[in-house]
Amino acid sequence: MNLAGIAEGDLVHCVDALDIGYHPRTGDIVEVERVRFQGREVEVSLKQVEVTPDRVLLWPVSDNPRWKAPLELTEGLGENEEVEVQIRGLVLNAIRRFHMV
């Protein structure tokens, strides 16, 4: 999320998406959970929301070439591998950590 101004080591303040009845809006930064392999692999990351007429895309917003492709909330449906992607929280702000060199 470095291109969105959130650097490695920063702290983020999130609110629970279910508690606030969150509905995805383009431009929001959210905490996303992706579960694969029947719960044996769980990944939590930050993504930026893009709502299109037919789907919701979750973008990494990073200059790291490894993290360029978006996730979809429907990722894995109908495939042999079951993947669950859900928005867990809405990021309200980020706190930059000071590191002494």
Side-chain angles (χ1 to χ4, degrees):
M1 292 301 297
N2 64 317
L3 296 177
I6 301 172
E8 184 175 339
D10 286 356
L11 302 173
V12 293
H13 176 205
C14 297
V15 293
D16 187 278
L18 290 175
D19 286 349
I20 64 169
Y22 176 73
H23 296 286
R25 294 179 313 223
T26 296
D28 285 348
I29 304 293
V30 294
E31 178 187 54
V32 175
E33 179 180 76
R34 178 168 56 172
V35 179
R36 297 193 291 185
F37 308 115
Q38 298 163 344
R40 291 189 302 271
E41 181 178 294
V42 178
E43 171 191 355
V44 177
S45 59
L46 298 179
K47 304 285 187 243
Q48 187 171 40
V49 175
E50 178 188 3
V51 178
T52 69
D54 58 339
R55 59 189 174 166
V56 176
L57 298 174
L58 303 166
W59 291 91
V61 193
S62 171
D63 62 3
N64 184 331
R66 184 174 172 199
W67 312 115
K68 290 296 182 187
L71 292 177
E72 290 187 52
L73 288 179
T74 58
E75 181 177 329
L77 295 179
E79 301 291 330
N80 291 336
E81 177 187 359
E82 183 179 319
V83 177
E84 180 184 347
V85 177
Q86 67 176 349
I87 295 174
R88 293 188 349 171
L90 173 65
V91 175
L92 298 180
N93 55 41
I95 301 167
R96 175 68 32 97
R97 292 183 60 134
F98 179 73
H99 297 281
M100 302 250 335
V101 180

XYZ file of all heavy atoms in Angstrom:
804
model
N 0.820 -1.201 0.000
C 0.000 0.000 0.000
C 0.860 1.260 0.000
O 0.354 2.327 0.293
C -0.923 -0.018 1.217
C -1.992 -1.091 1.169
S -3.098 -0.996 -0.237
C -3.904 0.543 -0.001
N 2.129 1.115 -0.344
C 3.017 2.276 -0.290
C 2.586 3.398 -1.242
O 2.797 4.573 -0.953
C 4.465 1.875 -0.540
C 4.696 1.319 -1.925
O 3.916 0.525 -2.429
N 5.781 1.730 -2.537
N 1.939 3.064 -2.349
C 1.483 4.115 -3.269
C 0.249 4.844 -2.741
O -0.118 5.899 -3.254
C 1.204 3.531 -4.653
C 2.424 2.963 -5.378
C 2.019 2.349 -6.707
C 3.489 4.030 -5.572
N -0.368 4.299 -1.692
C -1.504 4.959 -1.038
C -1.046 5.703 0.216
O -1.867 6.216 0.967
C -2.579 3.941 -0.669
N 0.274 5.730 0.453
C 0.807 6.460 1.598
C 0.932 5.641 2.864
O 1.200 6.191 3.934
N 0.754 4.332 2.779
C 0.895 3.462 3.949
C 2.152 2.638 3.746
O 2.220 1.787 2.852
C -0.335 2.550 4.125
C -1.601 3.390 4.275
C -0.146 1.636 5.334
C -2.888 2.591 4.271
N 3.170 2.897 4.579
C 4.466 2.239 4.425
C 4.569 1.028 5.342
O 3.818 0.892 6.316
C 5.578 3.237 4.756
N 5.514 0.148 5.014
C 5.772 -1.010 5.866
C 6.117 -0.533 7.266
O 6.916 0.389 7.441
C 6.923 -1.828 5.288
C 7.191 -3.104 6.052
C 8.262 -3.965 5.407
O 8.529 -3.809 4.212
O 8.815 -4.801 6.126
N 5.502 -1.123 8.276
C 5.740 -0.742 9.666
C 4.753 0.275 10.202
O 4.692 0.503 11.403
N 3.983 0.925 9.327
C 2.955 1.864 9.791
C 1.848 1.098 10.512
O 1.615 -0.084 10.253
C 2.328 2.634 8.617
C 3.247 3.689 8.042
O 4.346 3.902 8.585
O 2.860 4.281 7.019
N 1.174 1.776 11.402
C 0.013 1.217 12.085
C -1.244 1.759 11.422
O -1.268 2.915 11.001
C 0.012 1.610 13.558
C 1.245 1.191 14.365
C 1.178 1.787 15.763
C 1.351 -0.311 14.430
N -2.281 0.934 11.309
C -3.540 1.411 10.752
C -4.649 1.226 11.775
O -4.649 0.269 12.550
C -3.913 0.708 9.418
C -2.929 1.075 8.329
C -3.994 -0.788 9.570
N -5.572 2.147 11.776
C -6.739 2.103 12.649
C -7.918 1.651 11.800
O -8.310 2.347 10.872
C -6.987 3.486 13.243
C -8.205 3.574 14.076
N -8.863 4.745 14.285
C -8.915 2.637 14.761
C -9.910 4.534 15.052
N -9.969 3.257 15.351
N -8.462 0.470 12.122
C -9.579 -0.106 11.368
C -10.797 -0.243 12.262
O -10.670 -0.431 13.470
C -9.230 -1.512 10.866
S -7.870 -1.614 9.724
N -11.979 -0.179 11.646
C -13.216 -0.520 12.337
C -13.792 -1.758 11.665
O -13.628 -1.960 10.462
C -14.237 0.642 12.340
C -13.734 1.796 13.177
C -14.563 1.098 10.938
N -14.452 -2.588 12.446
C -15.012 -3.834 11.964
C -16.084 -3.565 10.918
O -17.026 -2.806 11.161
C -15.594 -4.621 13.131
C -16.046 -6.002 12.720
O -17.172 -6.114 12.192
O -15.276 -6.953 12.930
N -15.953 -4.193 9.753
C -16.881 -3.962 8.639
C -18.300 -4.394 8.985
O -19.262 -3.717 8.621
C -16.391 -4.694 7.393
N -18.462 -5.509 9.679
C -19.800 -5.976 10.050
C -20.450 -5.046 11.062
O -21.643 -4.748 10.975
C -19.745 -7.397 10.604
C -19.425 -8.494 9.599
C -19.291 -9.841 10.303
C -20.478 -8.561 8.516
N -19.680 -4.593 12.038
C -20.228 -3.722 13.079
C -20.789 -2.416 12.526
O -21.762 -1.889 13.052
C -19.185 -3.406 14.144
C -18.901 -4.588 15.063
O -19.648 -5.585 15.006
O -17.918 -4.512 15.833
N -20.162 -1.895 11.469
C -20.626 -0.612 10.917
C -21.526 -0.794 9.698
O -21.953 0.183 9.087
C -19.448 0.318 10.565
C -18.572 -0.281 9.452
C -18.629 0.663 11.803
C -17.553 0.692 8.874
N -21.817 -2.046 9.330
C -22.660 -2.299 8.156
C -22.016 -1.783 6.884
O -22.676 -1.201 6.027
N -20.718 -2.027 6.740
C -19.942 -1.478 5.630
C -20.409 -2.002 4.276
O -20.661 -3.194 4.102
C -18.454 -1.803 5.811
C -17.609 -1.343 4.663
C -17.333 0.010 4.490
C -17.115 -2.236 3.729
C -16.572 0.450 3.419
C -16.354 -1.803 2.664
C -16.090 -0.457 2.511
O -15.346 -0.025 1.448
N -20.517 -1.107 3.314
C -20.758 -1.428 1.909
C -19.607 -0.840 1.109
O -19.286 0.349 1.273
C -22.085 -0.840 1.426
C -23.275 -1.429 2.118
N -23.738 -2.696 1.850
C -24.066 -0.927 3.082
C -24.774 -2.939 2.613
N -24.993 -1.899 3.385
N -18.943 -1.640 0.247
C -17.765 -1.164 -0.484
C -18.044 0.090 -1.311
O -19.064 0.194 -1.983
C -17.424 -2.349 -1.399
C -18.010 -3.532 -0.721
C -19.254 -3.038 -0.051
N -17.095 1.039 -1.230
C -17.137 2.279 -2.015
C -15.774 2.476 -2.664
O -14.742 2.289 -2.022
C -17.437 3.483 -1.119
C -18.817 3.463 -0.495
C -18.996 4.673 0.395
N -17.817 4.810 1.259
C -17.864 5.105 2.542
N -18.996 5.321 3.136
N -16.762 5.220 3.250
N -15.790 2.866 -3.916
C -14.541 3.098 -4.642
C -13.675 4.098 -3.878
O -14.152 5.133 -3.435
C -14.838 3.624 -6.059
O -15.539 2.592 -6.780
C -13.569 3.985 -6.810
N -12.399 3.733 -3.730
C -11.426 4.592 -3.070
C -11.172 4.249 -1.617
O -10.148 4.650 -1.058
N -12.071 3.507 -0.978
C -11.856 3.117 0.422
C -10.645 2.203 0.534
O -10.363 1.404 -0.363
C -13.069 2.369 0.978
C -14.254 3.263 1.280
O -14.094 4.504 1.285
O -15.348 2.712 1.516
N -9.934 2.292 1.656
C -8.871 1.354 1.994
C -9.460 0.400 3.027
O -10.045 0.844 4.023
C -7.632 2.071 2.563
C -7.109 3.146 1.610
C -6.545 1.056 2.923
C -6.542 2.627 0.310
N -9.318 -0.892 2.778
C -9.937 -1.892 3.636
C -8.942 -2.984 4.020
O -7.940 -3.205 3.347
C -11.167 -2.535 2.953
C -12.280 -1.525 2.762
C -10.805 -3.177 1.621
N -9.255 -3.652 5.133
C -8.520 -4.838 5.556
C -9.250 -6.043 4.967
O -10.460 -6.186 5.155
C -8.497 -4.923 7.076
C -7.783 -6.149 7.592
C -7.917 -6.301 9.088
O -9.064 -6.303 9.586
O -6.882 -6.418 9.743
N -8.523 -6.875 4.243
C -9.114 -7.993 3.514
C -8.535 -9.306 4.044
O -7.337 -9.405 4.316
C -8.805 -7.868 2.000
C -9.293 -9.079 1.240
C -9.413 -6.598 1.444
N -9.404 -10.299 4.166
C -8.965 -11.634 4.553
C -9.254 -12.590 3.398
O -10.370 -12.629 2.892
C -9.705 -12.099 5.801
C -9.312 -13.502 6.235
C -10.061 -13.938 7.467
O -11.263 -14.272 7.333
O -9.460 -13.925 8.538
N -8.218 -13.339 3.002
C -8.378 -14.367 1.964
C -8.029 -15.712 2.596
O -6.937 -15.892 3.124
C -7.478 -14.099 0.771
C -7.596 -15.180 -0.290
C -6.957 -14.834 -1.599
N -5.550 -14.477 -1.483
C -4.758 -14.279 -2.522
N -5.222 -14.389 -3.741
N -3.503 -13.949 -2.349
N -8.973 -16.644 2.550
C -8.798 -17.968 3.132
C -8.788 -18.990 2.000
O -9.682 -18.990 1.154
C -9.939 -18.285 4.129
C -9.768 -19.676 4.712
C -9.994 -17.231 5.230
N -7.762 -19.844 2.010
C -7.644 -20.895 0.990
C -7.342 -22.230 1.653
O -6.976 -22.279 2.821
C -6.524 -20.545 0.006
C -6.799 -19.276 -0.753
C -5.885 -19.088 -1.918
N -4.515 -18.820 -1.491
C -3.534 -18.524 -2.327
N -3.764 -18.469 -3.620
N -2.323 -18.283 -1.893
N -7.477 -23.274 0.857
C -7.143 -24.628 1.292
C -7.892 -24.999 2.573
O -7.303 -25.491 3.530
C -5.633 -24.800 1.461
C -4.849 -24.364 0.262
C -3.979 -23.286 0.342
C -5.006 -25.000 -0.959
C -3.265 -22.865 -0.765
C -4.289 -24.587 -2.077
C -3.419 -23.513 -1.978
N -9.199 -24.744 2.571
C -10.098 -25.095 3.666
C -9.610 -24.542 5.008
O -9.664 -25.208 6.033
C -10.285 -26.606 3.728
C -10.920 -27.128 2.454
C -10.753 -28.614 2.286
O -9.936 -29.242 2.939
N -11.520 -29.184 1.382
N -9.107 -23.311 4.972
C -8.679 -22.625 6.188
C -7.242 -22.853 6.594
O -6.781 -22.285 7.588
N -6.507 -23.654 5.850
C -5.106 -23.904 6.197
C -4.211 -22.730 5.842
O -3.096 -22.623 6.361
C -4.615 -25.187 5.540
C -5.270 -26.443 6.122
C -4.626 -27.706 5.608
N -4.659 -27.831 4.163
C -5.640 -28.402 3.472
N -6.682 -28.896 4.087
N -5.572 -28.495 2.162
N -4.664 -21.861 4.941
C -3.885 -20.669 4.580
C -4.785 -19.450 4.712
O -5.830 -19.369 4.067
C -3.368 -20.788 3.150
C -2.540 -19.587 2.721
C -2.000 -19.751 1.310
O -1.166 -20.653 1.100
O -2.431 -18.992 0.440
N -4.390 -18.521 5.569
C -5.144 -17.289 5.791
C -4.200 -16.114 5.560
O -3.112 -16.059 6.143
C -5.725 -17.228 7.223
C -6.469 -15.917 7.443
C -6.635 -18.414 7.484
N -4.606 -15.210 4.698
C -3.818 -14.018 4.374
C -4.658 -12.786 4.709
O -5.812 -12.687 4.309
C -3.482 -14.021 2.889
C -2.850 -12.749 2.393
C -2.774 -12.693 0.872
O -3.123 -13.680 0.193
O -2.368 -11.645 0.362
N -4.059 -11.867 5.459
C -4.724 -10.602 5.773
C -3.876 -9.492 5.169
O -2.655 -9.460 5.366
C -4.873 -10.404 7.299
C -5.489 -9.051 7.606
C -5.713 -11.524 7.899
N -4.513 -8.600 4.419
C -3.781 -7.526 3.761
C -4.674 -6.293 3.632
O -5.868 -6.347 3.907
C -3.301 -7.980 2.379
O -4.405 -8.351 1.577
N -4.064 -5.196 3.199
C -4.814 -3.969 2.935
C -4.986 -3.819 1.436
O -4.063 -4.105 0.669
C -4.082 -2.749 3.487
C -3.860 -2.720 4.987
C -3.097 -1.449 5.374
C -5.157 -2.812 5.753
N -6.151 -3.365 1.023
C -6.436 -3.166 -0.398
C -7.282 -1.908 -0.568
O -7.957 -1.462 0.361
C -7.225 -4.348 -0.986
C -6.588 -5.701 -0.808
C -5.429 -5.904 -1.742
C -4.916 -7.328 -1.678
N -3.568 -7.456 -1.219
N -7.262 -1.351 -1.786
C -8.121 -0.220 -2.129
C -9.285 -0.731 -2.975
O -9.094 -1.512 -3.901
C -7.351 0.853 -2.893
C -8.175 2.106 -3.116
C -7.331 3.229 -3.679
O -6.477 3.019 -4.532
N -7.573 4.428 -3.190
N -10.484 -0.285 -2.635
C -11.709 -0.773 -3.266
C -11.965 -0.048 -4.586
O -11.789 1.171 -4.686
C -12.919 -0.548 -2.328
C -14.219 -0.944 -3.007
C -12.731 -1.293 -1.018
N -12.387 -0.829 -5.584
C -12.932 -0.282 -6.833
C -14.245 -1.019 -7.112
O -14.250 -2.237 -7.290
C -11.984 -0.480 -8.008
C -12.573 0.040 -9.308
C -11.743 -0.298 -10.536
O -10.720 -0.996 -10.420
O -12.147 0.127 -11.633
N -15.345 -0.279 -7.112
C -16.650 -0.866 -7.394
C -16.968 -0.620 -8.860
O -16.955 0.519 -9.321
C -17.743 -0.241 -6.493
C -19.110 -0.831 -6.821
C -17.408 -0.445 -5.024
N -17.234 -1.709 -9.601
C -17.619 -1.615 -11.005
C -19.079 -2.061 -11.094
O -19.629 -2.576 -10.116
C -16.726 -2.506 -11.898
O -17.017 -3.871 -11.626
C -15.252 -2.228 -11.664
N -19.716 -1.899 -12.249
C -21.126 -2.316 -12.352
C -21.372 -3.798 -12.057
O -22.436 -4.164 -11.593
C -21.479 -1.992 -13.802
C -20.549 -0.898 -14.186
C -19.269 -1.188 -13.449
N -20.353 -4.660 -12.299
C -20.598 -6.089 -12.130
C -19.743 -6.776 -11.069
O -19.897 -7.975 -10.838
C -20.436 -6.810 -13.464
C -19.055 -6.618 -14.067
O -18.371 -5.649 -13.706
O -18.656 -7.437 -14.914
N -18.839 -6.050 -10.407
C -17.992 -6.695 -9.394
C -17.294 -5.660 -8.511
O -17.298 -4.472 -8.799
C -16.970 -7.605 -10.047
C -16.061 -6.900 -11.019
C -15.223 -7.892 -11.773
N -14.468 -7.184 -12.806
C -13.472 -7.699 -13.454
N -13.079 -8.920 -13.186
N -12.849 -7.012 -14.375
N -16.679 -6.181 -7.449
C -15.871 -5.359 -6.552
C -14.434 -5.868 -6.648
O -14.168 -7.046 -6.411
C -16.368 -5.453 -5.094
C -15.455 -4.680 -4.159
C -17.796 -4.937 -4.983
N -13.526 -4.963 -7.021
C -12.106 -5.294 -7.120
C -11.380 -4.704 -5.915
O -11.694 -3.604 -5.463
C -11.508 -4.730 -8.404
C -12.109 -5.258 -9.705
C -11.528 -4.505 -10.895
C -11.861 -6.744 -9.842
N -10.386 -5.433 -5.429
C -9.596 -5.014 -4.274
C -8.138 -4.930 -4.727
O -7.484 -5.948 -4.943
C -9.779 -6.012 -3.127
C -11.236 -6.216 -2.702
C -11.382 -7.439 -1.813
C -11.767 -4.977 -2.015
N -7.622 -3.709 -4.863
C -6.299 -3.453 -5.446
C -5.237 -3.298 -4.373
O -5.453 -2.620 -3.374
C -6.339 -2.189 -6.292
C -7.150 -2.352 -7.528
C -8.479 -2.087 -7.687
C -6.693 -2.829 -8.785
N -8.875 -2.369 -8.968
C -7.797 -2.830 -9.666
C -5.459 -3.266 -9.256
C -7.697 -3.245 -10.988
C -5.359 -3.676 -10.572
C -6.469 -3.656 -11.420
N -4.012 -3.840 -4.593
C -2.934 -3.708 -3.630
C -2.288 -2.315 -3.567
O -1.711 -1.963 -2.545
C -1.913 -4.753 -4.072
C -2.275 -5.116 -5.458
C -3.701 -4.756 -5.676
N -2.341 -1.516 -4.604
C -1.777 -0.153 -4.651
C -0.330 -0.142 -4.146
O 0.013 0.550 -3.196
C -2.643 0.856 -3.859
C -2.237 2.279 -4.177
C -4.126 0.675 -4.150
N 0.508 -0.908 -4.820
C 1.903 -1.047 -4.430
C 2.798 -0.948 -5.654
O 2.387 -1.321 -6.750
C 2.103 -2.415 -3.763
O 3.464 -2.686 -3.545
N 4.029 -0.476 -5.443
C 4.978 -0.456 -6.554
C 5.760 -1.772 -6.644
O 6.594 -1.936 -7.513
C 5.916 0.742 -6.475
C 6.787 0.753 -5.237
O 6.726 -0.195 -4.427
O 7.533 1.745 -5.056
N 5.467 -2.721 -5.771
C 6.099 -4.040 -5.815
C 5.466 -4.831 -6.962
O 4.259 -5.054 -6.972
C 5.877 -4.763 -4.488
C 6.596 -6.096 -4.416
O 6.825 -6.750 -5.419
N 6.944 -6.497 -3.204
N 6.270 -5.267 -7.948
C 5.715 -5.984 -9.098
C 4.993 -7.278 -8.717
O 4.146 -7.754 -9.453
C 6.918 -6.275 -9.987
C 8.116 -5.901 -9.220
C 7.708 -5.095 -8.037
N 5.301 -7.824 -7.564
C 4.642 -9.052 -7.106
C 3.177 -8.806 -6.747
O 2.358 -9.705 -6.793
C 5.396 -9.592 -5.893
C 4.877 -10.883 -5.387
C 5.763 -11.411 -4.281
N 5.137 -12.575 -3.670
C 5.446 -13.045 -2.500
N 6.384 -12.460 -1.792
N 4.837 -14.096 -2.016
N 2.838 -7.578 -6.381
C 1.483 -7.246 -5.926
C 0.828 -6.267 -6.884
O 0.649 -5.110 -6.575
C 1.508 -6.669 -4.509
C 2.315 -7.456 -3.546
C 3.443 -7.059 -2.907
C 2.062 -8.799 -3.115
N 3.922 -8.059 -2.105
C 3.095 -9.146 -2.222
C 1.087 -9.741 -3.416
C 3.164 -10.394 -1.607
C 1.161 -10.980 -2.810
C 2.180 -11.297 -1.913
N 0.451 -6.729 -8.055
C -0.183 -5.872 -9.054
C -1.622 -6.266 -9.364
O -2.423 -5.436 -9.752
C 0.629 -5.868 -10.364
C 1.958 -5.155 -10.242
C 1.748 -3.691 -9.956
C 3.060 -2.956 -9.880
N 2.913 -1.596 -9.446
N -1.944 -7.537 -9.216
C -3.280 -8.027 -9.595
C -4.288 -7.791 -8.464
O -3.961 -7.950 -7.292
C -3.219 -9.506 -9.927
N -5.502 -7.432 -8.815
C -6.532 -7.242 -7.786
C -7.142 -8.568 -7.347
O -7.054 -9.572 -8.058
C -7.584 -6.399 -8.506
C -7.488 -6.846 -9.924
C -6.006 -7.109 -10.145
N -7.737 -8.550 -6.165
C -8.577 -9.659 -5.712
C -10.014 -9.298 -6.036
O -10.357 -8.128 -6.124
C -8.471 -9.842 -4.192
C -7.164 -10.318 -3.601
C -7.278 -10.353 -2.081
C -6.814 -11.686 -4.130
N -10.857 -10.302 -6.180
C -12.291 -10.082 -6.332
C -12.992 -10.739 -5.155
O -12.558 -11.784 -4.681
C -12.812 -10.705 -7.624
C -12.360 -9.998 -8.874
C -13.053 -10.563 -10.099
O -14.294 -10.641 -10.090
O -12.347 -10.916 -11.046
N -14.067 -10.131 -4.692
C -14.824 -10.745 -3.612
C -15.380 -12.094 -4.012
O -15.660 -12.924 -3.172
C -15.959 -9.819 -3.156
C -15.514 -8.587 -2.387
C -16.719 -7.737 -2.000
C -14.722 -8.952 -1.156
N -15.488 -12.372 -5.309
C -16.012 -13.648 -5.796
C -14.899 -14.599 -6.216
O -15.176 -15.626 -6.810
C -16.936 -13.410 -7.004
O -16.185 -12.730 -8.014
C -18.143 -12.589 -6.622
N -13.649 -14.288 -5.908
C -12.518 -15.112 -6.345
C -12.700 -16.561 -5.893
O -13.030 -16.837 -4.749
C -11.203 -14.582 -5.770
C -10.005 -15.385 -6.218
C -8.699 -14.824 -5.712
O -8.602 -13.611 -5.545
O -7.792 -15.621 -5.490
N -12.484 -17.503 -6.809
C -12.509 -18.909 -6.489
C -13.868 -19.569 -6.596
O -13.952 -20.784 -6.542
N -14.933 -18.826 -6.744
C -16.249 -19.444 -6.831
C -16.362 -20.232 -8.124
O -16.022 -19.749 -9.193
C -17.350 -18.390 -6.753
C -17.443 -17.632 -5.436
C -18.555 -16.596 -5.499
C -17.676 -18.575 -4.275
N -16.834 -21.457 -8.023
C -16.999 -22.299 -9.199
C -15.725 -23.017 -9.608
O -15.728 -23.788 -10.550
N -14.648 -22.806 -8.932
C -13.379 -23.467 -9.244
C -13.213 -24.683 -8.337
O -13.930 -24.861 -7.362
C -12.207 -22.500 -9.020
C -12.283 -21.236 -9.848
C -12.083 -21.485 -11.329
O -11.365 -22.430 -11.679
O -12.670 -20.743 -12.130
N -12.219 -25.510 -8.645
C -11.918 -26.660 -7.794
C -11.392 -26.218 -6.440
O -11.647 -26.851 -5.435
C -10.901 -27.582 -8.476
C -11.499 -28.273 -9.681
O -12.708 -28.441 -9.775
N -10.650 -28.676 -10.602
N -10.617 -25.122 -6.417
C -10.077 -24.605 -5.171
C -11.056 -23.597 -4.589
O -11.408 -22.619 -5.220
C -8.726 -23.923 -5.420
C -8.150 -23.297 -4.186
C -6.905 -22.487 -4.468
O -6.486 -22.436 -5.618
O -6.393 -21.892 -3.521
N -11.477 -23.842 -3.369
C -12.392 -22.924 -2.710
C -11.595 -21.788 -2.069
O -10.677 -22.025 -1.289
C -13.187 -23.653 -1.637
C -14.209 -22.772 -0.957
C -14.987 -23.535 0.090
O -15.342 -24.681 -0.161
O -15.210 -22.954 1.156
N -11.927 -20.566 -2.432
C -11.266 -19.389 -1.890
C -12.345 -18.455 -1.365
O -13.316 -18.181 -2.063
C -10.433 -18.655 -2.976
C -9.817 -17.390 -2.413
C -9.367 -19.561 -3.542
N -12.155 -17.988 -0.145
C -13.090 -17.030 0.427
C -12.360 -15.707 0.623
O -11.306 -15.658 1.251
C -13.615 -17.520 1.773
C -14.590 -16.554 2.411
C -15.036 -17.005 3.782
O -14.794 -18.158 4.155
O -15.624 -16.172 4.489
N -12.897 -14.644 0.029
C -12.325 -13.310 0.166
C -13.392 -12.427 0.797
O -14.509 -12.344 0.292
C -11.900 -12.730 -1.203
C -11.372 -11.312 -1.041
C -10.846 -13.614 -1.856
N -13.038 -11.794 1.930
C -14.001 -10.921 2.587
C -13.314 -9.673 3.113
O -12.133 -9.692 3.437
C -14.715 -11.650 3.717
C -13.840 -12.009 4.889
C -14.635 -12.641 6.018
O -15.860 -12.638 6.019
N -13.945 -13.183 6.992
N -14.081 -8.601 3.176
C -13.605 -7.355 3.768
C -13.881 -7.429 5.258
O -15.027 -7.575 5.678
C -14.308 -6.136 3.134
C -13.930 -6.030 1.653
C -13.951 -4.862 3.889
C -14.669 -4.965 0.891
N -12.813 -7.358 6.072
C -12.953 -7.439 7.529
C -13.104 -6.077 8.178
O -13.752 -5.952 9.209
C -11.745 -8.134 8.150
C -11.643 -9.573 7.781
C -10.600 -10.356 8.506
N -9.632 -9.621 9.313
C -8.771 -10.201 10.124
N -8.742 -11.505 10.245
N -7.907 -9.492 10.810
N -12.458 -5.055 7.605
C -12.484 -3.757 8.267
C -12.254 -2.613 7.311
O -11.705 -2.790 6.226
N -12.691 -1.443 7.730
C -12.462 -0.198 6.996
C -11.344 0.556 7.690
O -11.392 0.773 8.908
C -13.741 0.650 6.994
C -13.627 2.054 6.407
C -13.299 1.991 4.918
C -14.907 2.835 6.656
N -10.323 0.945 6.930
C -9.199 1.695 7.489
C -9.613 3.158 7.627
O -10.028 3.784 6.647
C -7.940 1.559 6.603
C -6.815 2.444 7.121
C -7.492 0.106 6.521
N -9.498 3.678 8.850
C -9.845 5.075 9.108
C -8.633 5.987 8.963
O -8.752 7.108 8.478
C -10.436 5.229 10.504
C -11.728 4.468 10.767
C -12.190 4.713 12.192
C -12.797 4.862 9.766
N -7.464 5.535 9.436
C -6.249 6.334 9.284
C -5.026 5.452 9.489
O -5.135 4.321 9.940
C -6.235 7.539 10.233
C -6.422 7.160 11.681
O -5.872 6.174 12.140
N -7.207 7.933 12.403
N -3.883 5.997 9.129
C -2.605 5.305 9.300
C -1.706 6.177 10.167
O -1.773 7.405 10.108
C -1.940 5.049 7.953
N -0.886 5.518 10.969
C 0.046 6.221 11.859
C 1.452 5.816 11.437
O 1.809 4.640 11.436
C -0.200 5.815 13.326
C -1.628 6.153 13.705
C 0.807 6.491 14.242
C -2.088 5.523 14.999
N 2.226 6.816 11.047
C 3.600 6.564 10.594
C 4.480 6.296 11.806
O 4.491 7.036 12.771
C 4.102 7.793 9.835
C 5.535 7.802 9.366
C 5.897 6.803 8.266
N 4.891 6.470 7.319
C 4.735 7.016 6.110
N 5.506 7.980 5.711
N 3.788 6.599 5.318
N 5.214 5.206 11.760
C 6.131 4.866 12.849
C 7.471 5.508 12.570
O 7.980 5.465 11.462
C 6.260 3.372 12.972
C 4.941 2.752 13.455
C 5.080 1.287 13.640
N 6.110 0.999 14.613
C 5.962 0.128 15.591
N 4.853 -0.509 15.738
N 6.952 -0.112 16.415
N 8.057 6.092 13.575
C 9.374 6.724 13.459
C 10.435 5.678 13.738
O 10.387 4.995 14.749
C 9.493 7.879 14.448
C 10.822 8.553 14.394
C 11.159 9.368 13.338
C 11.754 8.355 15.390
C 12.385 9.994 13.272
C 12.984 8.974 15.346
C 13.306 9.790 14.293
N 11.383 5.547 12.814
C 12.462 4.568 12.972
C 13.795 5.302 13.034
O 14.132 6.073 12.138
C 12.501 3.591 11.791
C 11.253 2.771 11.683
N 11.026 1.681 12.468
C 10.173 2.901 10.893
C 9.848 1.156 12.155
N 9.314 1.881 11.202
N 14.535 5.097 14.099
C 15.866 5.692 14.232
C 16.851 4.826 13.454
O 16.781 3.612 13.504
C 16.276 5.767 15.695
C 15.304 6.553 16.533
S 15.798 8.133 17.162
C 17.523 8.138 17.257
N 17.754 5.454 12.748
C 18.763 4.727 11.981
C 20.076 4.767 12.713
O 20.446 5.667 13.346
C 18.930 5.329 10.575
C 19.964 4.569 9.786
C 17.599 5.330 9.871
